[in-house]
Amino acid sequence: MTALPVLRPSRWAPLAALLTASVLLTACGSGDGGSGGGSGRPKSGGTLTFAVGSDAGCVDPQQVGSNDTIYSVRQTVDSLTDQDPATGRIVPWLAKSWDINSDATRFTFHLRSGVTFSDGSALTAQVVKDNFDAVPKLGALGTLAEGYLSGVQSTTVVDPLTVKVTFKQPNTQFLQATSTHTLGIESSASVRKTPQQKCSDGIVGSGPFVLKQYVQNQSITLAKRTGYAWGSALWSKKGEAYLDKLVFKVVPEAGVRAGSLQSGQVDAISSVGKANEVALKGGQVALQRRANPGVVFGLGLNNARPLLKDARVRQAIQVAVDRSQIADTVFPTGTRPATSVLAHTTPDYSDLSSDLSTDTAKAKSLLDQAGWRAGGDGIRTKDGKRLSLTITWFPNSATNQPALELVQQQLKAVGIDVVLKQLQVTQFATTLQSGDFDVVWGNVTRSDPDILRSSFSTRLGNFYHLPASSLDTALSGQAAATDTAKRGKLVAEAQRLLVQNAYYVPVVELQTQLGVSKKVHDLAFDSGSRVQLHDTWIG
């Protein structure tokens, strides 16, 4: 594994400490380092067929937020940096080195020479500038990328292979953001397309694979990029990928995906549920698991809704949910009940399990205090209105519906009527932006605690319509803190405020569980628990 490049110590030290402190990215079950049984020398060639449960309706890495689609589009773009999933350390990729000033307002990246996009154009500092300048224009699907670049003052071309990004205030999260697929670098020709064109037609990247065909809700086909020679410092193989072709088939039914893997029709599957674990264990299939860092699966409450403006109602929902029952009943083996808004694999996570214990009696008492009285059918009423909420969900995971059916039962037990409303995966971002929902079920993966600011700051997207409060101060403060200890305290404060005010109800930590044929080797998780397929081979 390549070591970090030599950086200017006085500038690098605060951020290096920040990015490695409190990082606990651990594997569960069948290891996260790779797949495949037996031994043998890696060989080139072959097609990997991967069955996923859904399609986000977009093949632009800068706009895609659904894991099932990220698995494929991530292979088409490279990032300026990469993040080691074992340590959290940031390492070179398209940038061979970088300088950061003492207050983390200026990031200067020194690019590798000789990098080209699949259309033959060269990677230059101007291309990086074009990408970062265009991000704010992405619209509804680009809110995550926009959050990573919020507060940017300018992106400047220093010379053909040196680009400088300057922020109006300290922005400690930005270096890690440059390792994400969301800030993957696309060709200038792609940047000039409309967000809609990029979604439907795909983009030109410099990655190890190239998009060959996209059939919405059916498949995404990628081909190996010949001549590729600028992989991440984390990858073991230099040069081109081993595999010739990648085919991602959309197979919504979890049982059908599992059967296809067992029969050899596909080589790997996403979202292995509890019901299929026993059938897949042993034989010619390995299960690979890794907990996702970031915001846990939970109930995103629209705090602007009249019912949910009352903190007592929100808090009642929070203590009425039995997280352990949901994790143990519905989710794959090893899934943890949420103990904070952040997953335990996220840097600066705080254990708030004492505030998230199930207490039905307390839930009923809170609703009594709020004036909601139990009716004849058990559902509470107030001023002639029923205490009823609609939870909007999306079929991008087989666990979503059964998990919410349990939530529905648990909330009914304290007098809250829940209606479950399914929308298409392609409607997720627009639903959040519209604000036309009571509650949304979801999560956001990122290996940096700044994901809290992206999700909950009233100064950014404010998807859940929180009121301006001291939470904003904590979220902005952690983004500006270059001192590790100070940032940790502010992140802890933000988690505490989110949980105590029940602005968002954490339920379970997302654990990515894949089923992989034992003939597939070195299919590895990245720091966000998505897959990296450059080093993968079949034999």
Side-chain angles (χ1 to χ4, degrees):
M1 189 174 296
T2 304
L4 276 171
V6 176
L7 302 176
R8 292 160 174 78
S10 63
R11 297 182 175 187
W12 171 246
L15 217 54
L18 173 68
L19 287 161
T20 55
S22 306
V23 178
L24 178 62
L25 298 176
T26 56
C28 304
S30 306
D32 77 339
S35 57
S39 60
R41 184 183 297 274
K43 60 182 182 180
S44 296
T47 298
L48 176 75
T49 304
F50 200 129
V52 297
S54 63
D55 172 32
C58 181
V59 282
D60 176 17
Q62 293 181 353
Q63 299 183 75
V64 170
S66 176
N67 285 341
D68 276 345
T69 304
I70 293 170
Y71 292 150
S72 56
V73 299
R74 184 31 160 158
Q75 317 307 318
T76 67
V77 289
D78 299 319
S79 300
L80 291 178
T81 66
D82 202 358
Q83 184 176 24
D84 189 328
T87 66
R89 187 177 64 153
I90 304 300
V91 302
W93 195 344
L94 292 180
K96 62 183 181 181
S97 64
W98 47 86
D99 307 317
I100 305 165
N101 69 346
S102 59
D103 65 354
T105 57
R106 187 171 65 249
F107 299 74
T108 303
F109 297 93
H110 306 282
L111 305 178
R112 296 171 68 158
S113 61
V115 176
T116 61
F117 295 91
S118 58
D119 62 0
S121 61
L123 171 71
T124 63
Q126 183 64 48
V127 175
V128 176
K129 173 178 168 57
D130 291 344
N131 274 260
F132 290 172
D133 287 351
V135 160
K137 305 168 188 174
L138 286 174
L141 295 181
T143 52
L144 197 57
E146 187 175 354
Y148 293 166
L149 283 163
S150 65
V152 69
Q153 179 174 299
S154 63
T155 301
T156 307
V157 174
V158 178
D159 62 46
L161 291 178
T162 307
V163 61
K164 179 173 65 178
V165 184
T166 304
F167 290 88
K168 298 172 185 174
Q169 61 279 321
N171 194 351
T172 53
Q173 62 83 35
F174 181 63
L175 186 62
Q176 191 278 335
T178 65
S179 73
T180 65
H181 72 278
T182 309
L183 291 186
I185 305 301
E186 303 171 359
S187 73
S188 291
S190 291
V191 170
R192 288 193 291 270
K193 291 185 176 181
T194 67
Q196 295 74 22
Q197 287 173 326
K198 294 206 297 178
C199 266
S200 60
D201 302 339
I203 57 89
V204 172
S206 64
F209 291 91
V210 179
L211 177 67
K212 285 298 182 183
Q213 186 180 43
Y214 171 47
V215 182
Q216 190 167 352
N217 294 320
Q218 292 186 35
S219 65
I220 295 174
T221 302
L222 309 178
K224 176 167 68 176
R225 169 83 188 277
T226 58
Y228 182 85
W230 40 83
S232 162
L234 295 175
W235 299 353
S236 58
K237 186 181 188 300
K238 305 305 176 186
E240 299 175 1
Y242 287 113
L243 295 165
D244 289 333
K245 189 176 179 182
L246 303 174
V247 179
F248 293 83
K249 293 184 176 180
V250 180
V251 182
E253 300 82 10
V256 175
R257 289 198 301 277
S260 299
L261 179 59
Q262 286 177 298
S263 66
Q265 296 177 62
V266 302
D267 305 304
I269 62 174
S270 71
S271 305
V272 175
K274 200 178 191 74
N276 300 117
E277 285 180 351
V278 174
L280 290 175
K281 281 179 179 176
Q284 296 305 305
V285 174
L287 297 180
Q288 290 182 234
R289 306 181 183 123
R290 190 174 189 277
N292 287 39
V295 177
V296 299
F297 258 126
L299 303 174
L301 308 180
N302 185 339
N303 289 258
R305 287 287 205 246
L307 285 177
L308 296 170
K309 281 185 177 180
D310 191 330
R312 293 167 297 186
V313 174
R314 300 195 305 270
Q315 291 161 348
I317 294 171
Q318 183 158 271
V319 296
V321 172
D322 187 337
R323 293 161 182 80
S324 295
Q325 182 190 32
I326 294 168
D328 294 343
T329 304
V330 174
F331 286 85
T333 300
T335 298
R336 296 192 183 199
T339 51
S340 176
V341 179
L342 291 176
H344 78 281
T345 49
T346 317
D348 292 320
Y349 148 86
S350 294
D351 184 350
L352 300 174
S353 51
S354 60
D355 295 316
L356 293 172
S357 57
T358 305
D359 191 335
T360 302
K362 182 178 179 180
K364 291 178 178 179
S365 175
L366 285 164
L367 293 174
D368 287 340
Q369 294 171 33
W372 293 96
R373 301 287 178 259
D377 60 355
I379 301 303
R380 293 172 179 263
T381 60
K382 179 181 179 181
D383 300 330
K385 295 182 179 180
R386 286 165 59 85
L387 182 49
S388 181
L389 295 168
T390 297
I391 300 178
T392 302
W393 66 281
F394 307 85
N396 58 346
S397 174
T399 55
N400 287 350
Q401 184 171 351
L404 289 173
E405 287 172 348
L406 276 177
V407 170
Q408 187 178 43
Q409 295 171 22
Q410 293 165 0
L411 295 187
K412 185 177 181 181
V414 300
I416 302 174
D417 176 50
V418 170
V419 177
L420 301 181
K421 178 183 178 182
Q422 178 183 340
L423 295 180
Q424 295 305 306
V425 177
T426 53
Q427 297 173 277
F428 181 75
T430 52
T431 298
L432 282 182
Q433 284 220 326
S434 71
D436 187 18
F437 64 90
D438 292 336
V439 184
V440 167
W441 173 255
N443 80 296
V444 190
T445 295
R446 187 187 176 191
S447 189
D448 189 278
D450 193 64
I451 195 63
L452 293 177
R453 186 174 63 100
S454 303
S455 300
F456 301 110
S457 172
T458 66
R459 300 166 188 172
L460 294 176
N462 197 15
F463 305 129
Y464 304 113
H465 303 276
L466 275 62
S469 70
S470 58
L471 174 63
D472 289 315
T473 304
L475 292 174
S476 298
Q478 64 79 30
T482 56
D483 177 78
T484 304
K486 181 179 180 181
R487 191 188 193 208
K489 288 179 181 178
L490 289 166
V491 172
E493 175 71 0
Q495 291 170 81
R496 184 188 66 79
L497 290 169
L498 281 162
V499 168
Q500 289 188 353
N501 289 286
Y503 291 134
Y504 180 92
V505 176
V507 180
V508 296
E509 294 188 0
L510 173 63
Q511 177 180 253
T512 295
Q513 180 165 241
L514 308 177
V516 184
S517 167
K518 288 188 176 179
K519 70 179 182 180
V520 177
H521 303 263
D522 296 330
L523 188 155
F525 288 120
D526 65 15
S527 64
S529 297
R530 283 81 176 233
V531 295
Q532 181 279 110
L533 298 174
H534 175 271
D535 289 346
T536 305
W537 58 282
I538 293 179

